[in-house]
Amino acid sequence: MLGLVAATAVALLAVRRGGDGAPVVDAAVRVASAQSLTVETFVSGLDTPWDVAWGPDGRMWVTERGGRILRVDMATRAVSEAGRLDVAEVSESGLMGLAFHPAFAREPWVYVAHSYRDGGIRNRIVRLRWDGSRLGAPEMVLDALPGAGNHNGTRLAFGPDGMLYVTTGDAARAASAQDMSSLAGKVLRLTPEGRPAPGNPWGDALWSIGHRNAQGLVFRPGTDELYATEHGPNDNDEVNRILRGRNYGWPEVRGMCDEPGERSFCAEHDVAEPITTFTPTLGLAGLDWYDGDRFPAWKGSLLYTALRGAVLLRTDPAAGRTERMLERQYGRLRDVLVGPDGVVYVATSNRDGRGRPAPDDDRILRITP
C-alpha cells in the first residue's frame, strides 16, 4: 500500500501543568510543516513488533512480543526467523528490547530483553550468538529484573563507550523508582557481560533514577548524548536527555518542576527536567535520532512514536520545536528506525490487545520524501 501524506500546518500541544494545575501550552512547539511523506507498507503480517533495529549484517532485525526474533532482507523484503524465545506475554510484557554487541564482527552477540514467570512477572536480559544463519542458546546477562504486566521498560542501547544501557520500568510500583536498592524505574549501565560498568555514579548498575516507564532510548550519533522517551500516568509523557547520576523525579515529580511540592523535591534531589512533555499522554514509545539527508529539515532531530496517540513525532532539541506526522492513520505506533540511507521505518502495534488491527497488521511502514 502506497500513500502520500500531505503535510499541512500542524499545532502540537506539548502541555505542562502550571502552579494551579491548569495546562500550559508551550507556544514554541507550534510549527508548520511543508514536508510531504510517501508511506508504503514495507512488511506486513507481523504480530506485535516491539523493537526494530538495523543489524550489522545489513538486515533489519525485529522482535515480536510473543517471542520471535526476525530478520528482514532489505532488497526482497523476505522475513525469516533468526530465533525464538519462550517468554511471558502478559499485557505489555513479552519479548522487548534488542541490541547488537558493538564489536559484532568479532563478538556476534545479539542482546534481547524478555519477560518470564517466577511466581509473578520478571524480566531478564540475555544474549544469543549469531552463527550467520541462526541464533544460538540464550546466555544470561542480567536476571531477575523487576517486572509486571505493565511498566517494564527494557529498551536496550550500546553507547559509544561500549557499555550496555537499559531502561527499566517501575513495574507498577511507583515508589521503587526512588529506591536505590531496586533496579526498577532506572536507566542501567552494564558491561557487555552484564556487570555494573566502571564509572557508574553510585558504584552499582544504576546510571539514572526516577523513571516511570521509559520505552525509547537512543544515543545521538557520534556523541555521548543519550535520550529517552517515557510514559506519564495520565499527564506528562516525557522526552528526556539522560545524564549520569541524575534523578528524573518519578513519582514525586511529573514533567517539569512546576508545582510547589515538586520544586522543593527537585531542588533537594537535583532533578533533571524533560526536554518536552505531553498532556494528555500519548504513550511515547520507540525513539531514534535523525541525522540523514533524505529529509534535510529533520537533520538533528529526535523521531519517536506514540501508542495511544497513534502518531509519529519529531522534536528538534536545539530549536525546541515538535511536529506530528501520520496522526491516526496507521493506528498504534511502537517503534521507529532510521536506516543508513536516511529512509525512516515505523512499526505498528495494533495486535497488542489495545488496537484495532487491519487485515495486514502488524506492519512496518517505509517513509520517504
Side-chain angles (χ1 to χ4, degrees):
M1 185 181 78
L2 188 67
L4 184 66
V5 180
T8 57
V10 292
L12 172 62
L13 305 185
V15 185
R16 56 187 174 84
R17 291 172 297 133
D20 59 357
V24 177
V25 179
D26 294 325
V29 301
R30 295 180 180 272
V31 297
S33 172
Q35 181 71 64
S36 294
L37 307 179
T38 300
V39 182
E40 62 176 316
T41 295
F42 186 70
V43 173
S44 62
L46 302 178
D47 185 2
T48 317
W50 205 94
D51 203 335
V52 182
W54 191 260
D57 58 354
R59 302 262 179 124
M60 178 188 291
W61 289 62
V62 182
T63 59
E64 287 183 323
R65 204 177 61 186
R68 292 200 304 168
I69 304 171
L70 307 175
R71 295 167 73 231
V72 181
D73 185 300
M74 302 306 291
T76 67
R77 307 189 183 190
V79 179
S80 59
E81 183 178 300
R84 187 187 294 250
L85 290 170
D86 183 18
V87 307
E89 186 183 14
V90 180
S91 188
E92 296 176 2
S93 69
L95 180 60
M96 294 171 284
L98 170 73
F100 302 93
H101 194 287
F104 192 80
R106 186 177 69 252
E107 298 285 350
W109 292 107
V110 177
Y111 291 72
V112 294
H114 74 87
S115 305
Y116 66 98
R117 293 184 184 275
D118 181 18
I121 300 294
R122 291 181 181 269
N123 297 311
R124 60 166 60 115
I125 302 166
V126 299
R127 63 181 187 176
L128 306 94
R129 194 171 186 87
W130 176 246
D131 67 5
S133 60
R134 191 75 183 173
L135 290 169
E139 176 182 293
M140 192 64 66
V141 174
L142 186 64
D143 199 9
L145 287 167
N150 301 326
H151 300 193
N152 290 293
T154 60
R155 190 69 68 171
L156 312 180
F158 272 97
D161 56 4
M163 298 297 113
L164 177 62
Y165 292 74
V166 180
T167 69
T168 65
D170 67 9
R173 294 180 289 275
S176 65
Q178 294 294 325
D179 182 353
M180 298 294 289
S181 67
S182 172
L183 295 182
K186 311 296 193 298
V187 173
L188 312 180
R189 180 173 174 264
L190 310 170
T191 68
E193 296 72 34
R195 295 186 294 273
N200 284 355
W202 298 288
D204 52 16
L206 307 185
W207 186 249
S208 63
I209 70 171
H211 301 283
R212 184 174 183 267
N213 187 22
Q215 288 199 4
L217 191 68
V218 70
F219 280 90
R220 180 176 183 174
T223 75
D224 62 357
E225 293 179 20
L226 181 61
Y227 295 88
T229 50
E230 184 167 337
H231 289 199
N234 294 303
D235 55 81
N236 287 290
D237 276 350
E238 298 179 0
V239 179
N240 287 301
R241 182 174 175 190
I242 304 299
L243 301 169
R244 178 184 184 274
R246 296 298 293 273
N247 189 329
Y248 287 80
W250 176 256
E252 305 300 328
V253 180
R254 299 180 178 187
M256 306 293 181
C257 299
D258 54 7
E259 292 192 352
E262 292 179 336
R263 285 194 288 269
S264 60
F265 184 90
C266 289
E268 292 171 11
H269 295 87
D270 193 26
V271 168
E273 292 187 302
I275 294 170
T276 191
T277 62
F278 299 89
T279 298
T281 53
L282 301 175
L284 303 185
L287 173 69
D288 208 349
W289 184 273
Y290 195 86
D291 210 24
D293 296 321
R294 288 290 189 100
F295 298 92
W298 295 5
K299 204 172 184 71
S301 296
L302 291 163
L303 293 177
Y304 47 107
T305 57
L307 296 161
R308 179 181 178 184
V311 64
L312 174 66
L313 300 136
R314 182 180 71 87
T315 292
D316 180 344
R321 296 181 301 180
T322 301
E323 67 175 319
R324 296 178 186 253
M325 296 166 284
L326 313 185
E327 189 165 15
R328 304 290 175 186
Q329 295 182 49
Y330 299 97
R332 294 164 63 81
L333 305 182
R334 171 68 67 178
D335 199 18
V336 58
L337 171 67
V338 178
D341 58 357
V343 172
V344 175
Y345 299 87
V346 172
T348 71
S349 189
N350 292 316
R351 294 191 177 276
D352 64 4
R354 298 181 178 178
R356 296 181 178 178
D360 55 350
D361 275 335
D362 273 315
R363 293 172 280 175
I364 295 173
L365 307 172
R366 183 176 185 268
I367 304 173
T368 54

